[in-house]
Amino acid sequence: MIDINAHILLIYTGGTIGMVENPQTGSLEPFDFAHLTNHLPELQRFRFQVDHIVFNPAIDSSDITPEHWKKMVHTIETNYDKYDGFVILHGTDTMAYTASALSFMMENLQKPVVLTGSQLPIGKLRTDAKENLITALEIAADKDLVGNPIVPEVCIFFQNDLIRGNRATKVNADNFNAFKSYNYPNLAKSGIQIRYDRKLILQPDYDKRTVFHYRLDNRIASLKLFPGIDRKTVETILGLKDIKAVIMETYGSGNAPLSPWFIELVRETVKRGVVVVNITQCNTGMVDMQRYETGRELLKAGVISGSDATFEAAITKLMFLIGHKYEKEDIKIRMKVPLVGETTRPEDRINERI
């Protein structure tokens, strides 16, 4: 049910959704959000108020950095007590990275933060922008019978699907169904009604306050394995100066070459104090380094399992943990357990199989 007194803040950071076509030149230009209702007259039918903040200049999502994430979090913190929910308009290319980062940066979040965007500009005839934006606003305003928000977490709404932000991955550059959550069910599905799956949604502790975090460290490297990868390539990436962590994208359930030189390079990297996290290249499933000999060798070398985390969640979680200057052993422990639902607990995996 939508609260007639809900007050939502719309934050436009950039992206296709905020563009209109210049009728004279045919080029895409940002539209004036002061005239948002001209493009979306449906907003006048809402029973709640929508204010907006526009980032100036707008950010192409390919240029997103941790500094932009901090600006988004600061905008939400500054306005946190004034609004019931927040909708962030964002380019699709890095939306899953932003949603993952924000989920870690806002501890014990008690209000909806819904990211959305579009594949076509809002001024296009066949645009997906209107439906995405209207439904995202409804979700941000939606409350239960006692007045608590239904979805008090960071999420992405796109093409009828509401997805936990740190479970989302962009999977399609051409179609409207651009995002998917492979290892966790959708939080809601929109149709004639918005149907929430309440048991899947994170619930905060309303007796404690929301804590906003700004410390991030992006000294992280990525090593994606492929058949024939040579020693020099692996040496170069693992030997990068000043890196604090490496995400290693392995095969299947966390397998890698058994070549002595490869295992030794990984072992030396871990001994240098670099955190090495193992995530699978597969879309679905999780890392289990106990299953095969190759995985067990990585485990012996000190590699940490990333469980069923997306690449976006793994890298932003590491940025968060390293930025907070946790000791290496603390980081290893925190990478193994979900902080905000970004991975599946081992006991939950067991229950799924029973």
Side-chain angles (χ1 to χ4, degrees), residues 184-316:
Y184 195 77
N186 291 343
L187 305 181
K189 187 84 173 176
S190 75
I192 296 175
Q193 296 179 330
I194 302 172
R195 298 190 179 278
Y196 298 98
D197 195 334
R198 301 288 187 92
K199 67 181 182 298
L200 299 173
I201 298 170
L202 290 174
Q203 294 301 315
D205 184 343
Y206 288 106
D207 292 328
K208 296 181 180 178
R209 65 188 182 92
T210 301
V211 181
F212 299 88
H213 299 282
Y214 295 92
R215 288 180 288 176
L216 299 170
D217 193 324
N218 61 355
R219 288 177 291 175
I220 302 168
S222 171
L223 173 62
K224 185 167 187 172
L225 302 183
F226 58 88
I229 192 168
D230 62 16
R231 177 171 186 152
K232 187 173 182 180
T233 300
V234 176
E235 243 175 359
T236 300
I237 295 173
L238 295 184
L240 287 170
K241 187 179 180 182
D242 294 333
I243 59 169
K244 297 292 185 180
V246 175
I247 294 180
M248 187 161 58
E249 296 183 74
T250 57
Y251 311 124
S253 58
N255 301 313
L258 273 175
S259 306
W261 64 263
F262 180 85
I263 300 298
E264 185 55 32
L265 284 175
V266 172
R267 185 179 292 111
E268 289 174 0
T269 303
V270 173
K271 284 182 178 178
R272 288 200 337 259
V274 177
V275 176
V276 181
V277 177
N278 183 358
I279 66 170
T280 175
Q281 295 179 20
C282 299
N283 290 325
T284 304
M286 67 182 298
V287 166
D288 181 358
M289 291 191 290
Q290 300 279 8
R291 186 175 298 179
Y292 299 106
E293 184 182 359
T294 55
R296 289 194 292 270
E297 287 300 315
L298 293 177
L299 198 58
K300 290 178 186 175
V303 175
I304 308 166
S305 169
S307 186
D308 59 352
T310 63
F311 179 84
E312 297 91 336
I315 199 164
T316 52

Side-chain angles (χ1 to χ4, degrees), residues 150-155 162-167 181 183-189 195-204 340-344 348 352:
I150 291 180
V151 191
E153 60 171 287
V154 179
C155 47
L162 184 67
I163 301 171
R164 175 165 295 159
N166 55 38
R167 292 285 193 155
S181 172
N183 287 319
Y184 195 77
N186 291 343
L187 305 181
K189 187 84 173 176
R195 298 190 179 278
Y196 298 98
D197 195 334
R198 301 288 187 92
K199 67 181 182 298
L200 299 173
I201 298 170
L202 290 174
Q203 294 301 315
V340 278
E342 72 281 1
T343 54
T344 305
D348 293 334
E352 285 177 10

Side-chain angles (χ1 to χ4, degrees), residues 27 39 48-49 62 75 103 119 159 171 270 320 325:
S27 62
H39 297 278
F48 53 87
Q49 184 174 339
S62 299
T75 301
S103 73
Q119 297 286 63
Q159 187 64 15
V171 298
V270 173
F320 174 81
K325 301 188 184 303

